[in-house]
Amino acid sequence: MRRRGSVSIYIAIVFLSIVLLVCTISEAARVNAVQSKDKSITMMGADSVIAGYAKQVYEDYGLLLVWNKESLDKTLKKYIQANIKMADLEVRGNDFLESDLQKVSVIKKVNATDSGGDAFVNQVSEYLKYAGLTKAIDKLVNNSKKVKEDDSKESAADDITDKSYDKLVDFVEEIDQLIKDISDTKELSKQNNKINGIFENKSERWKKTDKTLIKQAYKICKKIKTIIIDRESDINEAISKIESYLKKKNNLLRKNGYKKAAKDYMDENLEVLKNIKDKIERVKKFDFASTISGNQTEKLNAEGFAILSMQIEEYFKDLQVTKITAQDKKNKSIFDSAKEFYEKGILSLVIKNTSKLSTASVKTSSLPSHTSVSKSQESSSLYDKAVVGVYSNIYFGNYLDQKKKNVLRYGMEYVIAGKDTDRSNLSSVVHRLIAIRHLPNYACILKDQTKKAEIEAIATSIAAITGLPFLEPLAKALLTEAWVLAESVNDVKILLADKKLSLIKTEANWKTSLKSLGNGTTKGDSNGFKYDVYLGLLLTITNRDNVVYRSMDLIQMNICKKYNKDFRMNKGMMSFKSKVTYSIPPLFTAMPWTVGMLSKSKSYKYELECNNGY
């Protein structure tokens, strides 16, 4: 009996072990199957989220993104739960593979505007590759390396056209008039002639001690002294004004980059006036009473006084008086025309009828370029801009290829400038085109000796007419800048007429003259690029993040106008990473002692991660 009982116990223990082994293996297999099923369910849920892309954005702009008012974790949870419960079927899933969704957490979500729009650019790049536009991108990158925006030459012309220049010209005219008044020596010469008449044969007359003659000489000398002293206040005023002029002149020179002071005839006038002032001080100390007393030494002083007055008269006569020729006046009119041309509104110079320009405007406060502040993590800035440039040329239009159904008709101009109206964007682009044309045009004019000689001749006349010799180099700068500007404006006219323009400017394809700046020929070049290509080049020298965000601005504006006013690009998701927590109730190992060992919740728990996106 004992042996039989032992065998029974042994068999029971072995049987129980086998049962436990079978249950454990079965449970492990079941859990593995459930995990596989849950992984599939999770991926299906993630795919379902991605499948809910904004259809209108895809159809209009070829972009895939999810835009949903409901949060991502709730949306994903809803799809996973529906798959677990087999919502599309009438029968629930098999109990052997049952699991429960515990939690859905979003680890990372990448929206279109995140990280400077990197995801947006990557998707656009893939789209353009699929469309076979890789060569267009590479061509734009290569051409952009030939273009360098240069604004450094604009300041010289700006300085000579500002109010400080005009004020200085007026100041010089005022000083010139004052010096002319001081130089009027008719009365002084008249009195000098009288005293000289008395001093003739002075030895005989003074010996006779003619009291009447002495009194007469005394009165004349006193009158001469009065005339000269009266001039002292005018001379002091002239000296003060000239010193003020020299200070302003030197400030203007320093502002224009001149390290050394440039002397002109005003400096010479200042020295003359100071010498005259010094002589006036000597006249004021002159004792007429003792001079006309008959003392021989004093007689010499009287004679010296007469000579002194003559010297003063000569100094007055030596003061500079500018002589202006007819050619100077003609050159001055050319200079004034150049100055006026430089000060005109640029847009009115390149477009004859500005009334036909688009008047469209937008509010920019809710656009990605104003609501997004993140920076790009990519290093290929130039390539990114070229990608967006080619993409923008397809979808957003420009001045010559307007998209009339869009909120802004001049889309590419907006991507470059970012203003709130079509007109402002076009104006900004025109200024930038003129800026990039400045460098080749400036280089060309510096190499052309004929043009340089013409500029120098006019600048010399300006210095003579204005009475400001030191302004000759500034006048050259303005004339050069105005001519370069006129050529650049003419270049833009050619582009806006939908004609080709060469990147390189030569004497052969120069189209304007200095005498008629605004009337150059608008015949295009045989080799070169059209307006849309130049827009692409401008785009490549614009800040990378601005280019990307402004292109998203246009998409948002147009989608809001056509389909949904609440659409926002910064809510448009392009990829995400999530963590999903599941629990599996025990089945084959559901014995009390086994369940107690699993967890406090008496179930298996595990997590799955999923990545998905476009």
Side-chain angles (χ1 to χ4, degrees):
M1 293 295 291
R2 289 179 179 177
R3 290 180 178 177
R4 290 179 180 178
S6 300
V7 171
S8 298
I9 294 172
Y10 175 76
I11 292 172
I13 292 173
V14 171
F15 180 75
L16 182 59
S17 299
I18 293 172
V19 169
L20 288 173
L21 179 61
V22 171
C23 288
T24 301
I25 294 172
S26 300
E27 187 76 335
R30 185 183 76 89
V31 169
N32 188 59
V34 172
Q35 288 181 344
S36 297
K37 183 200 73 170
D38 288 344
K39 186 176 181 179
S40 298
I41 289 172
T42 303
M43 296 309 298
M44 283 191 291
D47 287 341
S48 297
V49 171
I50 294 299
Y53 62 87
K55 181 181 178 182
Q56 294 84 1
V57 177
Y58 175 72
E59 290 178 348
D60 288 6
Y61 297 102
L63 296 175
L64 289 167
L65 57 83
V66 175
W67 184 78
N68 200 327
K69 291 184 178 180
E70 190 175 46
S71 63
L72 173 60
D73 55 345
K74 289 182 179 179
T75 303
L76 183 57
K77 187 174 182 178
K78 179 180 69 175
Y79 284 127
I80 292 175
Q81 194 66 52
N83 286 323
I84 289 176
K85 302 300 181 182
M86 302 183 70
D88 294 335
L89 302 176
E90 295 181 358
V91 182
R92 282 192 62 185
N94 194 319
D95 289 340
F96 283 98
L97 299 178
E98 183 180 1
S99 63
D100 294 317
L101 177 62
Q102 296 291 308
K103 184 179 179 182
V104 174
S105 302
V106 177
I107 300 174
K108 183 180 180 181
K109 182 175 70 169
V110 179
N111 291 334
T113 58
D114 291 346
S115 300
D118 286 342
F120 170 83
V121 174
N122 291 336
Q123 194 174 136
V124 169
S125 178
E126 292 301 317
Y127 170 78
L128 294 178
K129 289 178 182 178
Y130 177 78
L133 295 172
T134 304
K135 290 184 178 179
I137 298 172
D138 294 338
K139 187 175 181 180
L140 183 55
V141 170
N142 292 331
N143 287 333
S144 69
K145 294 177 181 178
K146 301 176 184 178
V147 178
K148 181 180 179 182
E149 189 172 19
D150 182 79
D151 296 320
S152 60
K153 299 296 181 181
E154 294 188 41
S155 59
D158 288 339
D159 288 332
I160 200 169
T161 58
D162 66 16
K163 293 181 179 178
S164 61
Y165 165 79
D166 295 329
K167 288 180 179 178
L168 201 57
V169 171
D170 295 338
F171 198 39
V172 167
E173 291 176 356
E174 185 180 340
I175 294 172
D176 281 341
Q177 185 58 49
L178 185 58
I179 289 177
K180 287 177 183 177
D181 292 339
I182 295 172
S183 301
D184 184 5
T185 58
K186 291 180 181 178
E187 184 62 26
L188 187 62
S189 298
K190 181 180 177 181
Q191 300 302 324
N192 267 337
N193 290 334
K194 289 182 179 180
I195 198 72
N196 288 333
I198 294 175
F199 288 153
E200 290 178 1
N201 302 318
K202 56 183 181 302
S203 57
E204 296 180 6
R205 294 192 178 189
W206 286 105
K207 284 179 181 178
K208 294 178 180 179
T209 62
D210 188 337
K211 293 183 179 181
T212 304
L213 195 61
I214 291 172
K215 288 181 179 180
Q216 185 181 354
Y218 177 77
K219 288 181 179 179
I220 294 172
C221 289
K222 192 173 181 180
K223 195 167 186 178
I224 290 174
K225 180 179 179 181
T226 302
I227 292 171
I228 292 176
I229 292 175
D230 286 344
R231 292 289 172 87
E232 184 179 22
S233 61
D234 292 337
I235 291 171
N236 287 336
E237 183 182 357
I239 289 174
S240 176
K241 286 183 180 295
I242 291 176
E243 288 175 343
S244 178
Y245 156 79
L246 294 176
K247 184 178 180 181
K248 291 180 179 181
K249 177 192 76 171
N250 291 331
N251 287 338
L252 186 58
L253 287 172
R254 282 194 295 270
K255 184 180 176 184
N256 285 276
Y258 290 85
K259 295 181 179 179
K260 295 182 179 179
K263 290 189 176 182
D264 56 44
Y265 73 79
M266 283 294 179
D267 294 86
E268 298 173 2
N269 285 348
L270 182 61
E271 293 301 319
V272 171
L273 291 172
K274 285 183 176 180
N275 286 333
I276 293 174
K277 184 178 179 181
D278 180 62
K279 293 181 185 299
I280 288 174
E281 291 298 323
R282 291 166 59 188
V283 170
K284 287 167 68 176
K285 295 177 181 179
F286 201 87
D287 186 355
F288 287 94
S290 61
T291 300
I292 315 296
S293 66
N295 184 290
Q296 196 64 33
T297 304
E298 304 287 351
K299 291 176 187 177
L300 293 175
N301 286 338
E303 183 179 1
F305 174 74
I307 295 172
L308 176 64
S309 67
M310 293 296 292
Q311 290 175 340
I312 292 174
E313 183 180 354
E314 291 302 317
Y315 274 119
F316 283 143
K317 290 180 180 179
D318 287 342
L319 289 175
Q320 176 76 28
V321 178
T322 305
K323 294 181 180 179
I324 301 171
T325 66
Q327 184 61 42
D328 287 336
K329 293 180 179 179
K330 185 177 180 181
N331 288 340
K332 178 67 162 55
S333 66
I334 295 176
F335 176 81
D336 289 338
S337 298
K339 187 167 176 281
E340 182 183 358
F341 180 87
Y342 194 87
E343 293 171 341
K344 278 185 177 179
I346 296 298
L347 199 58
S348 63
L349 293 174
V350 298
I351 300 174
K352 290 183 178 180
N353 189 359
T354 56
S355 62
K356 293 185 178 181
L357 293 176
S358 169
T359 58
S361 63
V362 294
K363 292 182 179 180
T364 58
S365 58
S366 63
L367 298 177
S369 59
H370 287 72
T371 59
S372 303
V373 294
S374 58
K375 301 294 183 181
S376 171
Q377 303 300 315
E378 303 290 339
S379 58
S380 55
S381 176
L382 178 58
Y383 183 81
D384 288 354
K385 290 187 284 188
V387 166
V388 177
V390 174
Y391 180 80
S392 299
N393 193 39
I394 297 172
Y395 287 107
F396 302 141
N398 57 63
Y399 172 73
L400 294 179
D401 180 21
Q402 299 179 22
K403 303 295 182 183
K404 296 183 178 180
K405 292 183 179 181
N406 289 350
V407 176
L408 292 176
R409 294 186 178 186
Y410 312 155
M412 281 198 74
E413 286 84 348
Y414 174 80
V415 174
I416 294 167
K419 308 294 183 182
D420 58 1
T421 67
D422 271 335
R423 189 186 183 98
S424 297
N425 287 317
L426 180 60
S427 177
S428 180
V429 163
V430 166
H431 278 82
R432 296 186 189 200
L433 284 173
I434 289 172
I436 67 170
R437 293 304 302 165
H438 184 282
L439 194 59
N441 292 345
Y442 192 84
C444 178
I445 207 170
L446 290 182
K447 294 177 182 177
D448 193 326
Q449 297 302 320
T450 303
K451 291 183 176 63
K452 287 175 66 177
E454 188 175 353
I455 290 170
E456 288 174 2
I458 296 174
T460 302
S461 294
I462 302 312
I465 280 187
T466 59
L468 297 170
F470 85 92
L471 278 183
E472 183 174 342
L474 289 181
K476 288 180 184 178
L478 182 135
L479 289 166
T480 303
E481 289 298 330
W483 205 350
V484 170
L485 174 63
E487 186 69 17
S488 301
V489 166
N490 199 73
D491 289 345
V492 177
K493 283 183 181 179
I494 292 172
L495 291 175
L496 294 182
D498 202 19
K499 298 174 183 177
K500 289 183 178 181
L501 179 70
S502 174
L503 283 174
I504 306 300
K505 180 67 67 173
T506 63
E507 186 178 350
N509 61 16
W510 191 274
K511 297 178 174 63
T512 58
S513 68
L514 189 55
K515 295 180 180 179
S516 182
L517 293 175
N519 298 317
T521 174
T522 55
K523 182 181 179 181
D525 298 329
S526 56
N527 296 317
F529 304 110
K530 288 193 172 184
Y531 180 65
D532 59 338
V533 177
Y534 273 89
L535 287 180
L537 295 176
L538 278 182
L539 195 143
T540 60
I541 56 177
T542 305
N543 178 273
R544 184 262 184 206
D545 291 342
N546 286 342
V547 166
V548 174
Y549 281 130
R550 288 169 187 168
S551 62
M552 287 190 272
D553 287 351
L554 293 171
I555 295 174
Q556 178 174 308
M557 286 188 285
N558 295 329
I559 293 297
C560 286
K561 176 186 177 182
K562 297 176 184 178
Y563 307 109
N564 188 335
K565 65 179 182 179
D566 296 323
F567 175 77
R568 296 291 181 270
M569 283 294 291
N570 60 2
K571 303 293 183 183
M573 184 189 68
M574 289 189 160
S575 65
F576 68 93
K577 181 179 181 181
S578 63
K579 181 170 67 175
V580 183
T581 304
Y582 290 95
S583 66
I584 304 174
L587 180 61
F588 295 106
T589 58
M591 289 73 77
W593 62 87
T594 309
V595 173
M597 296 173 60
L598 294 175
S599 67
K600 293 181 180 180
S601 62
K602 299 182 180 180
S603 62
Y604 305 106
K605 282 189 177 180
Y606 68 97
E607 295 175 344
L608 291 175
E609 286 189 0
C610 69
N611 291 283
N612 214 329
Y614 303 111

